[in-house]
Amino acid sequence: MRILVLGSGGREHALVWKLRQSERVSKVYCAPGNGGIAEEAECLPVDLKSLESMVPLAERLKPDLTVVGPELPLTLGVVDEFTRRGMTVFGPTKAAAQLEWSKSFAKEFLQRYRIPTAAYAICDSIEEVRAALKRFHAPVVVKADGLAAGKGVVIAASKEEAASAAAEMFSGKMVGEAGARVVLEECLKGDELSFLVLSDGERVAPLVAAQDHKRVGDGDTGPNTGGMGAYSTADIIDAQMRDWLVNHIARPVVAGMKAEGAEYKGVLYCGLMMTAKGPMVLEFNCRFGDPETQPILMRMESDLVDALEASISGRMDEVELKWSEDAAVCVVMASGGYPGTFEAGKWITGLDEAAKVDGVKVFHAGTTKRDGSFYTSGGRVLGVTARAGSLESAVERAYEACGKIEFDGVHYRKDIAGRAVKG
Ligand code: AMP
Ligand code: GLY
C-alpha cells in the first residue's frame, strides 16, 4: 500500500521510518517533509495551513492511508474533509481535536467527567483575571486558550506577573487570536509524563510512556520549547499505573467525547503531572508528541500500519501492541538562539559518522539538502535517537552520536533522561 504522511518534523521522520518497516507498505510520500525525510520518502510541497492545498495533493496521489502529524491540519478539519471525499485518514475530526485547540473546552470537559486536573478559572477579560486571581496562590499558570505552538503558557511567580502575562495575551501581541481567552491554573508539582493511547472511538490501546524535556536548558532551566529531548523505558511507569491511567483518564475521555457526539479516533496524547496526590492532566494533544514519538517508535515492535488502521476502522481490540524492553533516548540538537530567533542555512557535518554509532537513528526535523549536503532550516534541527538494553547505554550512545555532529551555533541539553539514569 501507499501512505502519505503530512508534516515536516522529527516526529514525521520517525513515522515515515516506522511505516516503511511494514511489509504491507510499498511507497511512502511525505508532504512537505524535510531534507532527511527525503532520503526515505518522496517529499512533495504542501501548505499545512490550507485545506485547499492538502486536498488536491491527496486526491492526486490517492494514498491508501494518510497519517497527519501536526495539530494544525487536524484543527482545520483535514480528517473531516478527507473522509468526506472517501479517503482513509488517521486522526481525530476537528470537533474531537477541540481537546487540544481549546484549553477551556478541555478543562470544562475534565471537570464534567471528574478526571483529575489542576483547579482553574476561564477568563475573557483582564477584570475577570484580577477577580479570579483572588482565589489562587502564587505561582499561577497562565495559558492562552487556543493553539500557540508551545508559546501560550506562562508560569507566573506572583499574581502581578500573572495579571501582566494575561494582559499581554489579551492584547494579541503575544500569541494573536489564541489569547482572546485565558485559562488560569493552579501550579502543580511533580514529574511530567507523556501518556499516549491509540483510540478507535471506543477502545484504547496505550503506547509506552515517555518523558519530554520542555525547558531549553540543563536542569529544566530557561524558557519552554517544543521539546529538547525525550526518553522511554520499560519501567518508566509500572503496569498498575499504566492500567490506572487507561481506566481513569484515557477511557473516560474517549467515552465522554463519544457521549458528546465527537467520537475521538486517533492518538490521544495525555500530558500528565505525576503529583503527590496522583496523576493529573496538564493538557491533551490530538496527535503524536514531538520528540516523544522518536523514542516510542524506536521501541515499537508491532506493525504501525495495522495499529493505525485498527484505530480508523474501530478494531482496536484486535491489535495487541508489542514493545521492546529496551530503553530509547532522543536528544534534540537545536539552532543557536532557539527557542528565540535563530539563523538557518548552517552546514551540518558528521551525520554519517553519527549514524554508525550502534543503535542510533538520526531523525531530521529542520533540515534541507542541497548539492549532497544538509543545512539547518528550523529551530529544532535533529533528533538523535538511540536504543539499547539499558537507559544508561542508550544515553551514552545518543550523546556519542551527538558529539560527531556539528553546525554553527548548535546547542543541546546534556541531561536528557538524567534524573531517571541517576535514579
Ligand atoms: P501545556 O501546553 O498546557 O502542556 O503547558 C506546557 C507546559 O507548561 C507543561 O508541559 C508543563 O511543563 C507546564 N504546565 C502547564 N500547566 C501546568 C500546571 N498546571 N502546573 C505546572 N506546570 C504546568
Ligand atoms: N513534546 C510535546 C508535544 O509534542 O506537544
Side-chain angles (χ1 to χ4, degrees), residues 2 29 56-66 87:
R2 293 153 55 253
Y29 302 97
L57 174 74
E59 292 203 310
R60 181 162 64 78
L61 297 175
K62 295 192 175 46
D64 301 294
L65 169 65
T66 298
M87 294 189 274

mmCIF file of all heavy atoms in Angstrom, residues 2 29 56-66 87:
data_model
loop_
_atom_site.group_PDB
_atom_site.id
_atom_site.type_symbol
_atom_site.label_atom_id
_atom_site.label_comp_id
_atom_site.label_asym_id
_atom_site.label_seq_id
_atom_site.Cartn_x
_atom_site.Cartn_y
_atom_site.Cartn_z
ATOM 1 N N ARG A 2 0.205 2.388 -0.366
ATOM 2 C CA ARG A 2 0.930 3.662 -0.452
ATOM 3 C C ARG A 2 0.410 4.597 0.627
ATOM 4 O O ARG A 2 -0.799 4.731 0.824
ATOM 5 C CB ARG A 2 0.750 4.263 -1.846
ATOM 6 C CG ARG A 2 1.458 3.404 -2.924
ATOM 7 C CD ARG A 2 0.821 3.539 -4.296
ATOM 8 N NE ARG A 2 0.753 4.910 -4.730
ATOM 9 C CZ ARG A 2 -0.371 5.619 -4.781
ATOM 10 N NH1 ARG A 2 -1.518 5.088 -4.436
ATOM 11 N NH2 ARG A 2 -0.353 6.853 -5.208
ATOM 12 N N TYR A 29 4.945 8.707 0.852
ATOM 13 C CA TYR A 29 5.096 10.112 0.480
ATOM 14 C C TYR A 29 5.084 10.921 1.759
ATOM 15 O O TYR A 29 4.446 10.532 2.736
ATOM 16 C CB TYR A 29 3.911 10.600 -0.359
ATOM 17 C CG TYR A 29 3.662 9.860 -1.628
ATOM 18 C CD1 TYR A 29 2.714 8.839 -1.684
ATOM 19 C CD2 TYR A 29 4.346 10.200 -2.792
ATOM 20 C CE1 TYR A 29 2.461 8.161 -2.865
ATOM 21 C CE2 TYR A 29 4.100 9.533 -3.978
ATOM 22 C CZ TYR A 29 3.158 8.514 -4.007
ATOM 23 O OH TYR A 29 2.913 7.856 -5.178
ATOM 24 N N PRO A 56 -6.215 18.718 -2.807
ATOM 25 C CA PRO A 56 -5.842 18.336 -4.181
ATOM 26 C C PRO A 56 -4.609 17.436 -4.241
ATOM 27 O O PRO A 56 -4.538 16.536 -5.077
ATOM 28 C CB PRO A 56 -5.555 19.670 -4.886
ATOM 29 C CG PRO A 56 -6.057 20.725 -3.995
ATOM 30 C CD PRO A 56 -6.226 20.173 -2.626
ATOM 31 N N LEU A 57 -3.658 17.655 -3.330
ATOM 32 C CA LEU A 57 -2.461 16.805 -3.317
ATOM 33 C C LEU A 57 -2.862 15.351 -3.054
ATOM 34 O O LEU A 57 -2.444 14.435 -3.773
ATOM 35 C CB LEU A 57 -1.472 17.282 -2.244
ATOM 36 C CG LEU A 57 -0.256 16.373 -2.051
ATOM 37 C CD1 LEU A 57 0.722 16.526 -3.217
ATOM 38 C CD2 LEU A 57 0.467 16.651 -0.730
ATOM 39 N N ALA A 58 -3.694 15.147 -2.047
ATOM 40 C CA ALA A 58 -4.102 13.779 -1.701
ATOM 41 C C ALA A 58 -4.963 13.191 -2.809
ATOM 42 O O ALA A 58 -4.859 11.994 -3.109
ATOM 43 C CB ALA A 58 -4.848 13.780 -0.375
ATOM 44 N N GLU A 59 -5.795 14.006 -3.420
ATOM 45 C CA GLU A 59 -6.651 13.470 -4.494
ATOM 46 C C GLU A 59 -5.805 13.050 -5.694
ATOM 47 O O GLU A 59 -6.136 12.117 -6.404
ATOM 48 C CB GLU A 59 -7.723 14.487 -4.881
ATOM 49 C CG GLU A 59 -8.716 14.652 -3.730
ATOM 50 C CD GLU A 59 -10.074 15.159 -4.146
ATOM 51 O OE1 GLU A 59 -10.103 16.178 -4.858
ATOM 52 O OE2 GLU A 59 -11.090 14.533 -3.747
ATOM 53 N N ARG A 60 -4.680 13.731 -5.883
ATOM 54 C CA ARG A 60 -3.786 13.376 -6.989
ATOM 55 C C ARG A 60 -3.006 12.095 -6.668
ATOM 56 O O ARG A 60 -2.897 11.199 -7.490
ATOM 57 C CB ARG A 60 -2.832 14.545 -7.253
ATOM 58 C CG ARG A 60 -1.853 14.340 -8.388
ATOM 59 C CD ARG A 60 -1.261 15.656 -8.856
ATOM 60 N NE ARG A 60 -0.448 16.326 -7.844
ATOM 61 C CZ ARG A 60 0.799 15.977 -7.539
ATOM 62 N NH1 ARG A 60 1.381 14.969 -8.159
ATOM 63 N NH2 ARG A 60 1.464 16.655 -6.631
ATOM 64 N N LEU A 61 -2.485 11.995 -5.424
ATOM 65 C CA LEU A 61 -1.658 10.836 -5.056
ATOM 66 C C LEU A 61 -2.488 9.585 -4.778
ATOM 67 O O LEU A 61 -1.983 8.474 -4.908
ATOM 68 C CB LEU A 61 -0.821 11.155 -3.801
ATOM 69 C CG LEU A 61 0.200 12.284 -3.906
ATOM 70 C CD1 LEU A 61 0.834 12.537 -2.545
ATOM 71 C CD2 LEU A 61 1.292 11.955 -4.924
ATOM 72 N N LYS A 62 -3.735 9.797 -4.352
ATOM 73 C CA LYS A 62 -4.623 8.675 -3.977
ATOM 74 C C LYS A 62 -3.944 7.656 -3.056
ATOM 75 O O LYS A 62 -3.893 6.454 -3.372
ATOM 76 C CB LYS A 62 -5.155 7.969 -5.221
ATOM 77 C CG LYS A 62 -6.052 8.828 -6.072
ATOM 78 C CD LYS A 62 -6.784 8.005 -7.139
ATOM 79 C CE LYS A 62 -7.769 8.836 -7.921
ATOM 80 N NZ LYS A 62 -7.246 10.150 -8.374
ATOM 81 N N PRO A 63 -3.419 8.100 -1.901
ATOM 82 C CA PRO A 63 -2.784 7.140 -0.987
ATOM 83 C C PRO A 63 -3.840 6.221 -0.386
ATOM 84 O O PRO A 63 -5.013 6.590 -0.295
ATOM 85 C CB PRO A 63 -2.176 8.040 0.095
ATOM 86 C CG PRO A 63 -3.019 9.273 0.084
ATOM 87 C CD PRO A 63 -3.476 9.460 -1.335
ATOM 88 N N ASP A 64 -3.412 5.033 0.037
ATOM 89 C CA ASP A 64 -4.345 4.117 0.710
ATOM 90 C C ASP A 64 -4.589 4.568 2.147
ATOM 91 O O ASP A 64 -5.568 4.159 2.761
ATOM 92 C CB ASP A 64 -3.769 2.697 0.699
ATOM 93 C CG ASP A 64 -3.529 2.232 -0.736
ATOM 94 O OD1 ASP A 64 -4.519 2.075 -1.455
ATOM 95 O OD2 ASP A 64 -2.348 2.080 -1.133
ATOM 96 N N LEU A 65 -3.644 5.363 2.649
ATOM 97 C CA LEU A 65 -3.772 5.848 4.027
ATOM 98 C C LEU A 65 -3.012 7.168 4.147
ATOM 99 O O LEU A 65 -1.907 7.301 3.632
ATOM 100 C CB LEU A 65 -3.152 4.812 4.990
ATOM 101 C CG LEU A 65 -2.937 5.223 6.445
ATOM 102 C CD1 LEU A 65 -4.255 5.492 7.152
ATOM 103 C CD2 LEU A 65 -2.151 4.142 7.198
ATOM 104 N N THR A 66 -3.635 8.150 4.826
ATOM 105 C CA THR A 66 -2.926 9.395 5.146
ATOM 106 C C THR A 66 -2.764 9.467 6.658
ATOM 107 O O THR A 66 -3.709 9.197 7.401
ATOM 108 C CB THR A 66 -3.705 10.631 4.650
ATOM 109 O OG1 THR A 66 -3.824 10.567 3.229
ATOM 110 C CG2 THR A 66 -2.982 11.931 5.016
ATOM 111 N N MET A 87 -11.516 9.255 1.400
ATOM 112 C CA MET A 87 -10.120 8.853 1.624
ATOM 113 C C MET A 87 -9.947 8.338 3.057
ATOM 114 O O MET A 87 -10.637 8.784 3.969
ATOM 115 C CB MET A 87 -9.178 10.034 1.374
ATOM 116 C CG MET A 87 -9.182 10.464 -0.093
ATOM 117 S SD MET A 87 -7.902 11.686 -0.458
ATOM 118 C CE MET A 87 -8.728 13.207 -0.031
#
